[in-house]
Amino acid sequence: HLSIRRQRQMCIRDSQLQIKKNKFFRMGIYGNYFRRDLNYSNLLFNDEINSGRPSNEVLPNLQTGFFDLGLGGMYYERNFWIGVSARHLNQPDQSLLQDGTDRLPIRTTVHAGYKIFLQDNCFDDESNAIGILANYNTQFTFRRFEFGTYVFFNRWLSGVFYQGSNSGTSKERGDAFSVMAGYKLKGITLSYSYDFAFNNPNRFPRLGNSHEIAIAYLVPFKADKNNVYRKMKSKRYTPWPTF
């Protein structure tokens, strides 16, 4: 049994630009440094079993370190948002072998949504609303698409989502439907979701359905006097959901 130990340092920075009244563009960049090596402590060799003494095997000291770069941006307004992000832009080599090459392919994500408010003059995250969400991920030959809708009404939350993924061929395709329900009060959200997997049972004969219970808390912050959020009546202008 081999285990890979990792140490990571992360640096994230984002900024926001107001394009027009109630129209914004937000951009973020992050950098990670990974340090990887092999832990041989769980290995058991034949000479250890036969002699009862430590192994005479000469094990190479395999280790590597690499920097990983990502970038993303998003446009949003009162009812709509769309964004794109890319990870592993520098395609770092994560191979532990000196003569080996194992570059991380770029992972691209595109996400968008539209929010229909059921109350006039309300655009708080806890306002009664209907949301339509879409998300698309691609990395090398892998593709994943998610689409769904949710309803938030009097602090109660419900939604249904479709998830589809494939690795380049129809035989490697997997799909699932998810339903969720929850309740939100003062920044705390308690939710339950159920995933129903279907399609391609021959490839994933043991792939069953799954249950998930989640508790989330949104940490509030105070905006400065020049911040555009303070000029609005709501506590939070951004339209995307937080559950």
Side-chain angles (χ1 to χ4, degrees):
H1 175 71
L2 288 176
S3 62
I4 299 179
R5 298 179 292 185
R6 296 187 180 186
Q7 294 180 349
R8 179 175 62 178
Q9 295 177 345
M10 179 180 293
C11 179
I12 302 176
R13 186 174 182 85
D14 66 87
S15 58
Q16 179 169 283
L17 172 66
Q18 183 174 3
I19 302 175
K20 294 182 179 180
K21 183 180 179 180
N22 299 339
K23 299 181 186 297
F24 303 90
F25 179 79
R26 177 172 292 182
M27 184 176 180
I29 184 172
Y30 79 89
N32 293 334
Y33 179 78
F34 290 85
R35 184 69 179 178
R36 307 178 67 193
D37 59 19
L38 288 182
N39 179 14
Y40 295 106
S41 61
N42 293 323
L43 289 178
L44 182 63
F45 296 92
N46 287 334
D47 57 346
E48 291 181 279
I49 299 175
N50 296 330
S51 64
R53 296 190 298 270
S55 174
N56 293 322
E57 291 285 341
V58 179
L59 302 175
N61 183 21
L62 300 178
Q63 59 181 359
T64 187
F66 57 89
F67 181 76
D68 188 18
L69 180 66
L71 183 68
M74 179 174 61
Y75 166 83
Y76 69 94
E77 51 189 59
R78 182 178 185 269
N79 297 84
F80 171 77
W81 72 94
I82 184 170
V84 60
S85 64
R87 304 186 65 176
H88 319 310
L89 284 174
N90 56 327
Q91 299 188 53
D93 186 1
Q94 61 176 348
S95 175
L96 294 173
L97 303 176
Q98 293 182 353
D99 299 330
T101 301
D102 184 14
R103 294 194 173 276
L104 280 171
I106 297 177
R107 176 182 176 181
T108 305
T109 301
V110 180
H111 55 95
Y114 188 81
K115 197 170 186 178
I116 304 171
F117 292 95
L118 304 179
Q119 297 170 276
D120 294 334
N121 301 322
C122 289
F123 41 86
D124 192 336
D125 186 59
E126 295 189 357
S127 300
N128 294 339
I130 300 173
I132 303 172
L133 313 176
N135 185 60
Y136 177 75
N137 290 275
T138 177
Q139 185 177 27
F140 195 47
T141 61
F142 178 79
R143 306 287 186 273
R144 181 181 179 89
F145 177 73
E146 299 170 301
F147 177 81
T149 182
Y150 74 94
V151 178
F152 187 85
F153 187 77
N154 291 342
R155 303 192 182 278
W156 288 97
L157 173 70
S158 61
V160 58
F161 300 89
Y162 163 79
Q163 305 172 37
S165 62
N166 69 78
S167 298
T169 66
S170 59
K171 294 182 179 180
E172 296 179 336
R173 183 178 179 86
D175 299 272
F177 272 113
S178 300
V179 293
M180 65 173 299
Y183 185 77
K184 186 171 184 178
L185 179 63
K186 296 182 178 180
I188 300 177
T189 303
L190 175 63
S191 62
Y192 163 79
S193 63
Y194 178 76
D195 294 345
F196 172 73
F198 65 98
N199 197 356
N200 206 351
N202 295 327
R203 177 172 172 79
F204 304 106
R206 298 184 180 180
L207 182 62
N209 306 327
S210 62
H211 304 263
E212 180 178 338
I213 297 176
I215 300 177
Y217 176 67
L218 180 65
V219 180
F221 70 94
K222 294 182 180 180
D224 59 72
K225 63 180 180 179
N226 296 321
N227 195 306
V228 66
Y229 296 111
R230 185 174 291 274
K231 300 177 183 179
M232 301 177 182
K233 294 181 180 180
S234 69
K235 295 179 294 183
R236 188 174 182 271
Y237 179 75
T238 51
W240 54 85
T242 58
F243 53 83

